Amino acid sequence: MSEHTRASRVRQHVHCDSCYSRRCRARVEVSVCCAVIPCRLLCGAVFHLCKEEDHLLLCPNVRVPCLNAGFGCPLHMPRSSQAAHLQVCPASLVCCSMEWIRWPIDETNPHSEIALQENVLKESEGQEQPLDLAMALVDQTDLYERLEMNPIYPELMEAEEEEKKEEAAMGGCVNSDTDTATNEESNSCGSNVVEQNGLGQISGPFKGTYNLCDMMFSMERGGCAAAQANQDNPEQNPKPEEKDTEKKEAAADTGQTGHAPWQEGVMERLRNELTPQEFNMYMVHHGSMLLAFGQIKACTPREDDFVYGSLEPIPVQTLHSFKIPDSYHYSGRRVHYYDSTRPPSEPRSVDTSDLKVDEEDWFSDEAAATLLGYAEIEVKGHKISESNAADGLYVDVGTQTHSFRKAPFKAKTTLAEAMVDRPLKLLLQLQSERVSGRNTRAGCAFTFLCGHTFHRREFATHFRNVHSDIQTSLSGWFEQRCPLSYLGCTFSQKRFQPSTHNATVSYNQHLRIFNLRPTLAASEGDTSQSSRSSEDPSTTQRKRGGRKGGDGEDSLSILPYEVLCHMASFLDSLSLSQLALVSQLMRQVSSSLLQERGMVTLRWEKKTYSHGGAKWRAKPVWEFSHLFSSVESWHMADVPPISAHLKVCPYYKTSLSIEPVPLPSISDKQECKKERLSLVNQVTGNNWQY
C-alpha cells in the first residue's frame, strides 16, 4: 500500500465511513463529509470522493492483466472479462498425464512374437512403419535414456576421481599413523602432517579429507589418551574399596532426598512423595534417563523375551546331526533343507573352457541384460541373484556375472550411451498395457508418459482421438495384423479412417505424436504434375521473379501474404507448427496466428554471470500445440478383408490329409465286448480296424 493511500485512509471523513447511499444529501464539510461523484469509467457506481481509490480496486471496467500473467499471458482486459478470457487464454494449459506400460519381450515364452519383431524391423527400413512398431521404438528410445547401469551393475562401474582421492588420502593417513606409532610425541596423523608441513595448517588437495578424518577420530583418540594416562598413573585410580566409600559418602551427603534419575532409591521416594499426576509427568520427561541409569526396566527385558520356548540340549557335532527344536515353528516348505537324508555333495569348480564356446559368445547384450534386471525388480521386487536370508540357519547366496564389451561404465552411464553404434533391435513388446493400481508410475520403470502440453480447450479432443480411439485400439482393432504374425508375417493394415477427412493416421517419431496424413487420389496428382510440366517456362520464370527468393520458391510462395494468412487459418495446430519450418515466409504466416491459435509456455534457462554465479530464469515462449484436426467419428476403410491376405500369405501352409484317419470307438470288435476300450488303450494297443 502506497503512502498516499495510507494518508487518505487516515484523513477519512466521519460521515463517509458509514454512508453507502447513492442519494446522499449530506452537506459538504471539512473532515466530516465530501461530495458524491459517479465512477469515471462509467460502471454506474456512485460514491463519495474520498472512496475513489477503494472503488478502483473493485471497478469492473478497470483494465487489469490476465490472471495468468505470471505464466506468460501478455493481455490486459477489463476486470469483468477475466473469467471469460480464461477459456481462450494462451497460458491456460493442461499437460496430458496419460500413462501406459510396455514390458520387455519374454524369450522363454513360446507365444511371444520374437520372429515378428525381427522381421518387421528388416522390412520397414525406408518405408512407413506400422503404428505399433513406430510407437514401440520411440518408447524404447525413451526407456534407454532413463535407465542407468549403476543400480544393476555396481561392480562394473569405474571408480570416480573423488573416490580415488579419498582412498589415497585415507591410505596416506593410515600409513603415516602406522609409521609414527612408535613415536611417543606424535599422537595422531594430523600432528605428523603438520610437522611435515611446518606451517601449522594443512594444505594441498587432501585438506578437506584430512579435516573430515580428524573430526571423526579426534574424540576417539582423546578418549584413548585419557584412559591410557589414568591407567599409567596409579594415584588417580582409586581402589574398589575407596570407590564404595565415596559412593556411601555421596549418598550420605544427599541425605537420600533427591529426585535425580541417577540417585539410588529415587523410585521409592517418587512413589511416596509425589501425587499420581506428578509421578506420571515425571515419568514422561525422565523415563529415558531412568532406563539409562537402570532405575526401571524396559517393557520386555532381554531375559524375559520368548525366543524358542524350551530348548532341548543337543550336542552339535556336524551340520547334519543338528535337530530343529520342537518349539521352533516354521513353514514346512523348507524342511527339506534340514533333511539329513540328502545325498552328500561336494563343490566343484568349472572353467569356462569346459563350455566349449567362442570368445565372442562370452559377451552379453547390454540392453537385454539390463531390461531383464529391471524387469526382475519390478515383477519380483528384488534384483537377480540377490542374497536372501530365509531364516537364521541358511542364507541363499546367488552370483550373476556379466561380460560387456564397453565395461567398465562411468558413474552416470545410461543404457542409451552403452548402446551407441549398435544395430537397432526391438526389445519391447508391440502391445502396451494400461496403468493399473498394481503398476504405478512411481514404482515401475517401464511406465511411459504422454507429457504433451495442450490448450485447455484442446485437451478433450486430444485425449479422445489419440488415447481413446487410436492408442488403446492398436492391437488388432484399429490396426489389424495377420493372424500368423506370431510366425513372422509382417502384414498389417489400418481398418479405420476419419469420416470427415480423407486422411490416414500416422505416427511422427520426432514429435512423438499421432497425426493425420491427407491422401490424394492418383488422378489428381497426375493432373497437377502434367499441368506443371505443360506450363510455359517463361511464365514460370516471371511468376518466380515477381517475388524475392529466386528460383527456389514454389507456386504457393508467390501468393499474396494476405491470401496465405487466410489459407493458414484453416490448418490445425500441428500443421501450423510444421508450416513454420518450411521457410521464413511461412514462419511469418504462422506467427500471425500465434495470438489467436498459439499458446505460451515458460521455458527455464540458466544464466551465468561474469563473477561465476548462475541463476535460472523463466522465459515465455510462444508455440503451437501438437493437436491434429478433431475427428468426431471413424468409419471402416476401403481395404480388403484379412482373409484375402491369407490366400497369399507365405506363412499360411495347408495340411492335406490323404490317408484316412480312424476315429475312436469305431472298431467292430468293441460291439461284442462289454467293456469299452479307452482312447489311450486304443492308441497303445493298436486296435484300429479299417
Side-chain angles (χ1 to χ4, degrees):
M1 186 180 294
S2 62
E3 295 292 339
H4 178 69
T5 305
R6 287 197 295 266
S8 62
R9 290 184 180 276
V10 173
R11 296 191 301 268
Q12 190 68 271
H13 301 144
V14 177
H15 170 76
C16 299
D17 288 343
S18 58
C19 180
Y20 302 98
S21 176
R22 296 171 55 90
R23 301 177 179 82
C24 179
R25 303 297 182 183
R27 186 175 60 180
V28 178
E29 297 181 7
V30 179
S31 70
V32 177
C33 181
C34 60
V36 177
I37 61 173
C39 177
R40 299 179 182 179
L41 300 177
L42 305 179
C43 71
V46 178
F47 45 83
H48 285 276
L49 179 61
C50 59
K51 297 182 179 180
E52 185 176 10
E53 294 184 4
D54 296 341
H55 171 72
L56 293 179
L57 300 176
L58 302 174
C59 181
N61 292 343
V62 174
R63 296 188 64 84
V64 293
C66 174
L67 295 176
N68 293 325
F71 297 98
C73 183
L75 301 181
H76 287 69
M77 65 208 71
R79 184 178 282 112
S80 59
S81 304
Q82 281 184 319
H85 168 71
L86 289 179
Q87 300 180 1
V88 295
C89 177
S92 182
L93 309 178
V94 177
C95 183
C96 182
S97 59
M98 177 65 182
E99 297 177 343
W100 61 91
I101 297 178
R102 195 180 299 274
W103 295 104
I105 58 175
D106 186 6
E107 297 181 354
T108 61
N109 185 9
H111 302 287
S112 60
E113 300 179 348
I114 300 179
L116 169 64
Q117 299 187 183
E118 294 178 354
N119 295 340
V120 75
L121 281 178
K122 299 177 182 178
E123 297 186 4
S124 61
E125 295 180 357
Q127 301 179 4
E128 182 181 359
Q129 297 178 346
L131 299 180
D132 53 356
L133 174 63
M135 193 174 182
L137 290 176
V138 171
D139 291 346
Q140 179 174 278
T141 303
D142 184 21
L143 182 63
Y144 283 7
E145 295 175 354
R146 288 191 283 115
L147 298 183
E148 296 184 357
M149 309 294 287
N150 192 10
I152 305 297
Y153 315 108
E155 68 280 358
L156 299 180
M157 295 292 112
E158 290 182 353
E160 297 183 359
E161 296 181 359
E162 298 180 358
E163 295 180 356
K164 294 180 179 179
K165 291 180 180 179
E166 292 180 1
E167 292 178 0
M170 294 295 293
C173 181
V174 172
N175 294 334
S176 61
D177 192 21
T178 305
D179 296 338
T180 58
T182 58
N183 189 1
E184 298 179 357
E185 298 179 358
S186 178
N187 295 327
S188 65
C189 175
S191 62
N192 187 24
V193 176
V194 173
E195 290 177 2
Q196 293 176 3
N197 207 354
L199 299 177
Q201 295 182 354
I202 303 301
S203 61
F206 306 138
K207 179 179 179 181
T209 307
Y210 168 76
N211 295 335
L212 180 61
C213 297
D214 184 70
M215 180 183 63
M216 293 172 58
F217 301 108
S218 59
M219 298 182 64
E220 286 76 0
R221 290 197 302 268
C224 295
Q228 184 68 26
N230 295 336
Q231 186 177 2
D232 297 340
N233 190 0
E235 297 180 357
Q236 297 182 1
N237 296 333
K239 298 181 180 180
E241 299 177 357
E242 297 178 358
K243 292 182 179 180
D244 297 340
T245 306
E246 292 178 359
K247 290 183 179 180
K248 293 180 180 178
E249 292 177 358
D253 295 339
T254 56
Q256 301 294 338
T257 57
H259 292 169
W262 55 83
Q263 295 179 351
E264 296 182 1
V266 64
M267 297 303 299
E268 290 76 5
R269 292 192 298 274
L270 291 175
R271 294 189 182 94
N272 298 331
E273 299 176 6
L274 300 181
T275 61
Q277 293 81 2
E278 296 174 348
F279 181 80
N280 294 336
M281 188 61 65
Y282 184 90
M283 295 297 295
V284 170
H285 292 283
H286 305 286
S288 59
M289 297 184 65
L290 292 173
L291 287 173
F293 288 103
Q295 301 293 348
I296 60 175
K297 294 184 178 180
C299 297
T300 55
R302 184 180 298 275
E303 58 272 9
D304 297 337
D305 284 346
F306 177 81
V307 183
Y308 290 123
S310 59
L311 297 178
E312 300 83 0
I314 303 173
V316 180
Q317 299 176 359
T318 62
L319 180 62
H320 298 288
S321 64
F322 179 75
K323 178 184 176 183
I324 305 173
D326 296 337
S327 58
Y328 182 66
H329 302 286
Y330 197 71
S331 176
R333 60 180 180 176
R334 292 183 60 91
V335 173
H336 64 279
Y337 285 177
Y338 316 110
D339 188 7
S340 59
T341 60
R342 291 184 299 170
S345 60
E346 57 179 344
R348 290 290 183 88
S349 60
V350 180
D351 190 67
T352 53
S353 60
D354 299 337
L355 302 178
K356 297 181 179 180
V357 294
D358 298 335
E359 186 177 355
E360 290 295 329
D361 298 336
W362 294 351
F363 297 102
S364 304
D365 187 7
E366 290 87 345
T370 305
L371 293 180
L372 181 61
Y374 276 97
E376 184 78 9
I377 296 176
E378 300 301 336
V379 178
K380 298 297 184 61
H382 59 80
K383 296 182 181 179
I384 297 179
S385 302
E386 185 178 19
S387 299
N388 182 22
D391 50 35
L393 300 178
Y394 285 89
V395 177
D396 296 334
V397 179
T399 58
Q400 179 69 40
T401 57
H402 296 276
S403 298
F404 299 129
R405 291 181 175 86
K406 294 189 177 181
F409 305 104
K410 295 183 179 179
K412 296 183 179 180
T413 302
T414 60
L415 185 56
E417 297 175 356
M419 295 301 294
V420 176
D421 301 334
R422 295 293 181 85
L424 180 61
K425 294 176 61 178
L426 180 60
L427 300 178
L428 296 181
Q429 297 179 1
L430 293 176
Q431 296 81 12
S432 60
E433 300 178 5
R434 299 289 295 271
V435 174
S436 59
R438 178 176 177 269
N439 301 307
T440 58
R441 169 71 179 175
C444 187
F446 300 96
T447 307
F448 302 91
L449 178 68
C450 177
H452 289 280
T453 303
F454 298 93
H455 197 275
R456 189 173 297 273
R457 64 175 181 270
E458 300 175 344
F459 177 71
T461 303
H462 160 75
F463 195 91
R464 183 183 70 250
N465 292 151
V466 174
H467 298 302
S468 298
D469 297 342
I470 302 177
Q471 182 178 352
T472 58
S473 304
L474 280 181
S475 301
W477 181 247
F478 195 93
E479 187 178 46
Q480 188 179 23
R481 287 195 172 274
C482 175
L484 302 178
S485 60
Y486 67 94
L487 297 178
C489 182
T490 60
F491 175 79
S492 64
Q493 60 182 6
K494 301 180 181 66
R495 303 178 60 197
F496 293 93
Q497 66 180 18
S499 302
T500 56
H501 306 83
N502 188 14
T504 58
V505 179
S506 61
Y507 188 80
N508 192 326
Q509 295 186 359
H510 178 68
L511 301 177
R512 303 185 178 186
I513 194 67
F514 290 95
N515 55 8
L516 294 180
R517 178 174 297 179
T519 55
L520 300 177
S523 58
E524 297 179 3
D526 297 341
T527 304
S528 59
Q529 185 177 1
S530 60
S531 61
R532 286 196 301 268
S533 59
S534 61
E535 189 177 4
D536 187 8
S538 59
T539 307
T540 306
Q541 184 67 24
R542 287 195 303 270
K543 289 182 179 180
R544 291 178 177 177
R547 192 183 257 295
K548 247 185 203 178
D551 298 337
E553 293 189 356
D554 56 344
S555 58
L556 185 63
S557 301
I558 64 177
L559 296 176
Y561 179 77
E562 294 77 7
V563 176
L564 293 177
C565 292
H566 179 71
M567 295 173 60
S569 63
F570 295 96
L571 298 178
D572 51 44
S573 299
L574 179 60
S575 302
L576 288 174
S577 63
Q578 300 303 302
L579 181 64
L581 304 177
V582 174
S583 62
Q584 295 183 358
L585 175 62
M586 296 304 169
R587 186 174 184 84
Q588 295 177 2
V589 172
S590 301
S591 300
S592 63
L593 300 173
L594 272 177
Q595 297 290 339
E596 179 183 358
R597 304 277 300 278
M599 59 182 185
V600 57
T601 57
L602 295 180
R603 183 169 299 173
W604 291 89
E605 297 180 351
K606 185 177 181 181
K607 183 178 181 181
T608 305
Y609 298 95
S610 58
H611 55 78
K615 185 177 181 181
W616 287 89
R617 290 185 177 181
K619 178 182 178 182
V621 177
W622 285 85
E623 59 184 353
F624 292 100
S625 64
H626 297 158
L627 179 74
F628 56 81
S629 301
S630 176
V631 179
E632 299 298 334
S633 61
W634 304 81
H635 71 275
M636 299 290 292
D638 188 12
V639 294
I642 198 67
S643 58
H645 162 71
L646 291 176
K647 298 178 181 179
V648 295
C649 180
Y651 294 89
Y652 184 68
K653 298 180 181 180
T654 59
S655 178
L656 300 178
S657 299
I658 302 176
E659 299 180 357
V661 179
L663 298 177
S665 302
I666 62 174
S667 176
D668 297 337
K669 295 182 179 181
Q670 294 180 6
E671 298 179 358
C672 59
K673 290 184 179 181
K674 296 182 179 180
E675 297 181 359
R676 298 186 59 187
L677 297 177
S678 63
L679 180 60
V680 178
N681 294 334
Q682 292 184 19
V683 175
T684 57
N686 219 354
N687 297 318
W688 301 110
Q689 298 292 334
Y690 295 97

